[in-house]
């Protein structure tokens, strides 16, 4: 179709051609109905002639048209004339970002405004499930006020042309690659895009990191004279730190760029919201005249044990955990949890790199040596942004004064980073100075050491040490919290006891811990878990979780378990937010990543749950619970073969544990393989003769086989035995076939879950 100025298409009159590219060409036009200027983008002949790509384009264009955000170009309509489709968009005055970036980088205040605006656009799009896939300066329009708008949102996959891979790089921005697996503009593509792997929102965050780097320095972080060289550089090389290319950049920006450009998606910011928040912190620092960046987040790395005795590892781990716990009470600080920090035990890597992966401004590291009843601890505080030591001190105390030592260290760190402690935080640190019997303290530290390893044998050993501690000192609250946690994890299965027994013992221990020390966040969290999982005291549990988070806002376990509580009540948006908060505090934790997938599944956001489960499996391919969630979500999307594979692998990894094997039985039933499902039922019934099998797990298989009355009989039994996942009954998709039956409705009533019992 040949077009000319003045020509009319429907009620649009073409004015002038303003752009041309691989996807087609763009005209400025007048909408004669509404008397306004618009931009009309015609698809290339190649795309218009391909029905499959045309259908994909139309589908994705409709999704983007539904976005309404000040920093995203508005699509007014998708039109067709004489078999030729075109987009009608708002006409944007101004220039594209690539036209206004100076050779040495943008003026700082202009940089901040554009960076925040683009990040806002990405946050909004990702919130609607839209991934850009081709974020680059040419796709960002900036008006005369410095206001950015992102173009071609979500359309890259549909509109990028196929270009011969032998194409000379020329200006790397213009190298565009496209096939079913690999699409985008080469200089801005993430490593996973280049490898042809499936992409998720974190790929956009890598591309945004490249754009932010280029805006700041005028240079791209990766370069190459040919496409092959450029690909190799992106996959292999670390970019030169931006502050080395431009000395007036805030050090915090260097950390933001370093984390955004991590090769491994799991090491980047996990959400656009998180990246946007860091940019806002940086902007606040600059507005306040502190471009160096106030320390707002910290990680305590495992203290190095200088005793030379492997059996003494429990002591250095325990000391690390107590120091971390004291710091985590400080509300003005974000403190990374133990699980993520412990991954760096014995790792010989630059602290700036570790800080980037954990998303923190500062690192606490040091060493510990115990000789008899004397303990020597060396502690260093490192500013990870500027890569310099802020403070270092050596302490030597009697073992009985170890808690006072830890309190002093936490207080000194707070002073060094100029964090103002509240009266409550000061009171806690003072309270933490109490003397402790070294034998009691050692038993407690050994208990926590084994409990954290989370195997059946280690949980049993941990429980034995906790019980030893309370025998030595019946008033030592942390040990009672440890006893409660031992029975709570996995509903008592690690200890091979039925839920009724497990939660009865956990409840007694948690209540005793709270009575002895009401300021112990761990005790309130344990008590909340008992109240919700066993007593079904939903309001009481909600109150205890909120109390725990108030006492220790950085306690990732409290946020994690509270996310589950919110999920069970059907408060899905709050649950997802709480799970993501837990992940921020524990960014490289497989459990934290798995929990987000778990919450998304019960929120019935199945595609997101699948993506998050697979993200977790990138961290640990043998994580059985992540495989279980993947199987559940695949069942709901009709991917029965993939569900069976996931559940079979999970069952294999756990040695055929009943709660995993039962999921495979349900998957077979849903896939139309009832014989296989019944075979698993028989196996579970045989197992039940020797050890505990959840009645709920039996019920879900019968429900999937269409045997609703039998399933309801087992649901009643699950009610009597307090099956550990029964509190999800209100939101569990696996029970939907029973949901409207009178016996099921009555069960909801008996559990107090007809409506959200925690709503006000």
């Amino acid at each position: 179709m040949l077009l000319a100025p003045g020509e009319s298409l429907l009620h649009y009159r073409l004015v002038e051609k303003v752009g041309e590219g691989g996807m087609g060409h763009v005209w400025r036009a007048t909408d004669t109905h509404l008397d306004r200027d618009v931009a009309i983008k015609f698809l290339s002949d190649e795309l218009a002639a391909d029905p499959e790509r045309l259908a994909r384009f139309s589908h994705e264009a409709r999704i983007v048209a539904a976005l309404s955000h000040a920093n995203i170009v508005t699509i007014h309509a998708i039109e067709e004339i004489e078999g030729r489709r075109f987009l009608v968009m708002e006409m944007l005055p101004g220039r594209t970002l690539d036209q206004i970036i100076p050779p040495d980088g943008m003026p700082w205040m202009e940089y901040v405004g554009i960076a925040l605006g683009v990040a806002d656009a990405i946050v909004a799009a990702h919130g609607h499930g839209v991934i850009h896939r081709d974020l680059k300066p040419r796709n960002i329009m900036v008006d005369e006020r410095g206001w950015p708008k992102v173009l071609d949102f979500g359309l890259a996959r549909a509109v990028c042309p196929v270009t011969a891979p032998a194409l000379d790089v020329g200006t790397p921005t213009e190298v565009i690659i496209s096939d079913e697996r690999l699409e985008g503009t080469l200089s801005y593509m993430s490593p996973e895009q280049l490898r042809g792997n499936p992409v998720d929102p974190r790929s956009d965050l890598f591309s945004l990191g490249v754009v932010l780097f280029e805006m700041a320095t005028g240079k791209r972080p990766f370069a190459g004279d040919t496409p092959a060289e450029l690909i190799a550089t992106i996959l292999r090389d670390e970019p030169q730190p931006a502050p080395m290319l431009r000395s007036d950049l805030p050090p915090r920006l260097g950390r933001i760029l370093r984390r955004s450009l991590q090769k491994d998606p799991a090491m980047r910011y996990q959400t656009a919201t998180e990246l946007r928040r860091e940019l806002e912190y940086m902007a606040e620092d600059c507005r306040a005249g502190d471009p160096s960046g106030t320390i707002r987040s910290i990680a305590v790395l495992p203290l190095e044990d200088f005793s030379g005795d492997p059996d003494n590892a429990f002591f250095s781990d325990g000391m690390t955990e107590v120091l971390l716990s004291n710091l985590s009470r400080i509300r003005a600080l974000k403190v990374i949890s133990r699980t993520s920090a412990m991954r760096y035990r014995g790792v010989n890597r630059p602290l700036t790199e570790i800080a980037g992966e954990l998303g923190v401004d500062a690192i606490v590291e040091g060493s510990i040596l115990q000789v008899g009843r004397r303990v020597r601890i060396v502690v260093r505080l490192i500013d990870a942004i500027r890569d310099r030591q802020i403070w270092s001190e050596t302490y030597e105390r009697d073992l009985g004064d170890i808690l006072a030592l830890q309190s002093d260290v936490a207080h000194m760190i707070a002073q060094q980073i100029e964090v103002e402690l509240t009266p409550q935080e000061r009171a806690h640190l003072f309270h933490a100075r109490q003397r402790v019997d070294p034998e009691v303290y050692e038993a407690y530290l050994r208990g926590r050491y084994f409990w954290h390893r989370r195997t059946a044998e280690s949980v049993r050993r941990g429980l034995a040490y906790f019980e030893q501690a309370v025998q030595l000192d019946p008033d030592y609250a942390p040990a009672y919290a440890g006893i409660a946690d031992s029975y709570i994890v996995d509903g008592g299965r690690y200890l091979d006891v039925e839920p009724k027994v497990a939660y009865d013992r956990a409840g007694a221990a948690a209540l005793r811990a709270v009575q002895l020390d009401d300021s112990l966040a761990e005790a309130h969290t344990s008590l909340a878990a008992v109240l919700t999982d066993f007593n079904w005291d939903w309001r009481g549990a909600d109150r205890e979780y909120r109390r725990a988070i108030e006492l220790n806002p950085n306690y990732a376990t409290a946020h994690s378990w509270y996310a589950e509580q919110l999920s069970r009540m059907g408060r899905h948006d709050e649950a997802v937010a709480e799970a993501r908060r837990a992940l921020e505090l524990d960014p490289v934790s497989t459990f934290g990543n798995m929990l987000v997938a778990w919450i998304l599944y019960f929120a019935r956001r199945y595609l997101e749950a699948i993506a998050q489960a697979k993200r977790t499996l990138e961290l640990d391919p043998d994580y059985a619970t992540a495989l279980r969630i993947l199987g559940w979500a695949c069942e709901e999307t009709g991917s029965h073969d993939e569900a069976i594979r996931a559940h079979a692998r999970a069952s294999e990894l756990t040695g055929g544990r009943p709660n995993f094997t039962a999921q495979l039985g349900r998957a077979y039933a849903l896939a139309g393989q009832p014989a296989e499902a019944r075979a698993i039922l028989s196996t579970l019934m045989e197992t039940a003769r020797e050890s505990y099998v959840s009645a709920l797990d039996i019920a879900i298989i019968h429900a999937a086989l269409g045997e609703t009355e039998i399933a309801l009989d087992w649901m009643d039994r699950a009610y009597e035995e307090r099956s550990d996942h029964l509190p999800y009954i209100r939101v569990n998709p696996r029970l939907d076939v029973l949901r409207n039956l009178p016996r099921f409705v009555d069960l909801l009533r008996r559990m107090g879950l007809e409506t959200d019992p925690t709503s006000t």
Side-chain angles (χ1 to χ4, degrees):
M1 178 188 295
L2 297 177
L3 302 170
E7 185 174 345
S8 293
L9 301 173
L10 302 177
H11 53 86
Y12 305 104
R13 186 174 65 252
L14 302 182
V15 177
E16 61 178 337
K17 184 185 288 188
V18 294
E20 188 160 4
M23 67 162 287
H25 46 271
V26 182
W27 284 71
R28 182 163 67 87
T30 300
D31 183 337
T32 57
H33 279 184
L34 298 177
D35 191 25
R36 64 179 176 184
D37 282 347
V38 296
I40 292 183
K41 183 173 290 188
F42 293 91
L43 301 187
S44 67
D45 291 338
E46 177 189 5
L47 287 178
D50 185 335
E52 182 179 349
R53 292 175 67 81
L54 193 59
R56 285 171 52 197
F57 159 75
S58 298
H59 171 70
E60 296 184 30
R62 289 187 178 92
I63 294 175
V64 179
L67 294 176
S68 177
H69 192 273
N71 296 109
I72 298 177
V73 66
T74 301
I75 295 180
H76 296 311
I78 307 170
E79 305 282 16
E80 182 174 354
I81 184 170
E82 298 179 11
R84 189 79 173 272
R85 293 195 186 183
F86 56 91
L87 292 178
V88 182
M89 307 179 298
E90 64 175 316
M91 187 68 196
L92 298 175
R95 293 181 294 170
T96 54
L97 181 58
D98 63 310
Q99 296 174 315
I100 65 173
I101 297 177
D104 295 325
M106 303 185 72
W108 184 240
M109 293 312 295
E110 184 181 1
Y111 178 98
V112 170
I114 293 175
L116 287 172
V118 174
D120 280 339
I122 302 298
V123 169
H126 288 183
H128 286 79
V130 179
I131 306 174
H132 195 291
R133 297 189 293 263
D134 193 23
L135 189 65
K136 57 186 177 184
R138 176 161 288 192
N139 280 339
I140 300 169
M141 183 70 73
V142 182
D143 66 17
E144 61 277 3
R145 302 168 300 165
W147 188 266
K149 289 222 176 191
V150 179
L151 314 175
D152 288 341
F153 229 117
L155 303 182
R157 183 176 180 127
V159 301
C160 285
V162 176
T163 308
L167 181 68
D168 187 7
V169 171
T171 303
T173 307
E174 303 309 315
V175 180
I176 299 175
I177 296 177
S178 177
D179 64 25
E180 285 301 312
R181 298 177 305 152
L182 180 62
E183 298 180 303
T185 305
L186 196 57
S187 293
Y188 303 89
M189 290 173 70
S190 66
E192 58 268 29
Q193 280 180 288
L194 291 173
R195 294 188 180 100
N197 296 333
V199 300
D200 61 30
R202 294 172 298 176
S203 182
D204 275 354
L205 302 188
F206 183 93
S207 301
L208 178 54
V210 178
V211 173
L212 294 174
F213 190 104
E214 187 174 352
M215 288 170 57
T217 65
K219 302 173 179 59
R220 300 185 187 95
F222 307 103
D225 293 332
T226 67
E229 289 181 8
L230 184 54
I231 290 172
T233 299
I234 295 172
L235 293 177
R236 178 193 63 213
D237 297 342
E238 296 299 325
Q240 187 175 6
M244 294 183 63
L245 297 173
R246 180 176 168 184
S247 60
D248 64 333
L249 292 178
R252 185 186 288 274
L253 179 60
R255 184 182 65 77
I256 292 173
L257 296 175
R258 187 165 56 247
R259 188 173 179 193
S260 301
L261 296 174
Q262 290 291 317
K263 312 294 186 189
D264 183 352
M267 297 296 104
R268 293 177 210 146
Y269 295 103
Q270 295 301 290
T271 66
T273 300
E274 190 180 357
L275 172 54
R276 202 266 180 212
R277 186 186 302 118
E278 289 294 316
L279 290 170
E280 180 60 37
Y281 285 157
M282 178 185 67
E284 289 175 0
D285 291 338
C286 293
R287 287 193 289 266
D290 179 24
S292 63
T294 302
I295 291 176
R296 301 174 184 269
S297 53
I298 198 165
V300 181
L301 298 188
L303 297 175
E304 188 175 358
D305 179 20
F306 277 4
S307 71
D309 183 359
D311 292 336
N312 209 44
F314 78 91
F315 190 76
S316 57
D317 279 9
M319 292 290 286
T320 304
E321 185 170 358
V322 174
L323 176 57
L324 186 153
S325 177
N326 281 335
L327 288 170
S328 67
R329 299 289 190 108
I330 302 174
R331 187 169 294 275
L333 271 182
K334 169 186 168 185
V335 183
I336 295 301
S337 82
R338 176 193 187 280
T339 309
S340 287
M342 285 297 178
R343 291 171 67 99
Y344 296 94
R345 183 206 307 277
V347 172
N348 185 22
R349 291 169 58 189
L351 292 180
T352 53
E353 185 178 309
I354 294 174
E357 293 176 359
L358 293 175
V360 296
D361 305 322
I363 294 285
V364 176
E365 65 163 4
S367 61
I368 189 166
L369 174 64
Q370 179 187 2
V371 179
R373 288 182 57 90
R374 300 295 291 177
V375 177
R376 176 182 295 168
I377 180 172
V378 178
V379 186
R380 290 176 292 274
L381 177 63
I382 310 297
D383 182 337
I385 296 176
R386 287 167 284 189
D387 195 17
R388 67 176 181 84
Q389 181 173 290
I390 299 174
W391 165 79
S392 177
E393 189 62 79
T394 300
Y395 298 85
E396 185 170 338
R397 301 278 179 86
D398 182 87
L399 191 57
D401 293 324
I402 195 67
L403 296 182
L405 184 156
Q406 293 282 29
S407 174
D408 289 345
V409 172
H411 194 276
M412 184 59 71
I413 289 172
Q415 284 187 335
Q416 293 298 323
I417 61 180
E418 299 180 346
V419 170
E420 187 66 32
L421 298 178
T422 67
Q424 293 81 7
E425 290 162 354
R426 291 182 186 277
H428 168 75
L429 288 177
F430 179 80
H431 176 68
R433 295 178 58 82
Q434 61 186 317
R435 284 185 61 84
V436 61
D437 183 321
E439 196 174 351
V440 173
Y441 191 58
E442 178 176 320
Y444 172 72
L445 292 185
R446 287 185 184 273
R448 279 297 176 194
Y449 175 78
F450 285 110
W451 183 83
H452 279 299
R453 297 173 74 173
R454 298 294 180 88
T455 67
E457 177 59 27
S458 68
V459 171
R460 291 190 186 101
R461 292 187 68 181
L463 176 60
Y465 280 115
F466 292 138
E467 290 175 337
Q468 179 183 332
V470 299
Q471 287 171 4
L472 293 168
D473 183 355
D475 294 331
Y476 190 57
Y480 285 102
I483 291 172
D485 290 346
S486 299
Y487 282 105
I488 287 170
V489 289
D490 210 13
R493 286 192 177 94
Y494 282 125
L495 302 174
D496 198 24
V497 297
E498 295 186 6
K500 274 189 176 183
V501 175
Y503 284 111
D504 183 59
R505 294 175 183 174
L511 188 59
R512 177 64 175 153
V514 170
Q515 291 169 343
L516 290 168
D517 186 356
D518 186 58
S519 71
L520 197 60
E522 293 84 350
H524 285 280
T525 303
S526 301
L527 181 57
V530 174
L531 291 175
T532 189
D533 290 351
F534 183 66
N535 294 347
W536 301 337
D537 179 359
W538 316 113
R539 288 184 182 276
D542 193 77
R543 181 178 62 251
E544 291 297 325
Y545 278 129
R546 286 187 282 108
R547 173 65 173 153
I549 291 170
E550 177 188 6
L551 289 168
N552 187 342
N554 289 293
Y555 187 33
T557 299
H559 289 284
S560 297
W561 291 4
Y562 189 38
E564 293 191 63
Q565 161 83 352
L566 293 167
S567 175
R568 293 160 176 165
M569 299 303 103
R571 294 159 61 181
H572 298 301
D573 290 343
E574 295 173 78
V576 172
E578 201 67 35
R580 293 199 185 283
R581 172 59 177 159
L583 188 57
E584 286 181 20
L585 296 170
D586 208 357
V588 295
S589 158
T590 51
F591 174 83
N593 277 276
M594 176 280 296
L595 180 71
V596 175
W598 180 282
I599 299 299
L600 288 169
Y601 168 75
F602 285 107
R604 298 172 187 259
R605 291 159 60 172
Y606 301 125
L607 295 179
E608 293 176 74
I610 289 171
Q612 182 65 32
K614 290 182 176 179
R615 192 174 301 154
T616 306
L617 291 167
E618 290 174 7
L619 297 173
D620 182 357
D622 294 336
Y623 194 5
T625 304
L627 286 162
R628 177 166 62 180
I629 299 166
L630 176 61
W632 285 349
C634 285
E635 290 165 6
E636 301 302 329
T637 58
S639 302
H640 296 299
D641 290 343
E642 186 174 0
I644 289 172
R645 286 194 297 271
H647 288 311
R649 177 61 177 154
S651 178
E652 176 189 355
L653 288 168
T654 59
R657 280 177 59 186
N659 55 328
F660 286 91
T661 303
Q663 314 311 315
L664 179 58
R666 179 178 189 265
Y668 278 133
L670 293 177
Q673 301 178 47
E676 288 81 352
R678 294 190 188 283
I680 286 179
L681 267 176
S682 297
T683 299
L684 293 173
M685 298 307 294
E686 284 296 321
T687 302
R689 299 176 187 275
E690 304 294 334
S691 59
Y692 173 71
V693 175
S694 169
L696 179 62
D697 290 337
I698 301 293
I700 64 166
I701 301 178
H702 284 292
L705 289 168
E707 299 166 353
T708 56
E709 287 302 313
I710 299 176
L712 288 166
D713 290 341
W714 282 99
M715 291 296 294
D716 285 336
R717 191 174 301 186
Y719 173 87
E720 294 298 329
E721 71 179 29
R722 293 300 207 259
S723 291
D724 56 335
H725 288 163
L726 192 59
Y728 282 96
I729 184 174
R730 188 165 179 260
V731 296
N732 193 338
R734 289 167 291 154
L735 300 175
D736 282 353
V737 69
L738 308 175
R739 193 160 303 283
N740 296 320
L741 299 177
R743 289 177 61 187
F744 189 89
V745 173
D746 181 63
L747 182 56
L748 281 173
R749 179 192 58 76
R750 284 183 281 156
M751 294 181 65
L753 286 171
E754 308 98 310
T755 58
D756 175 9
T758 63
S759 62
T760 55

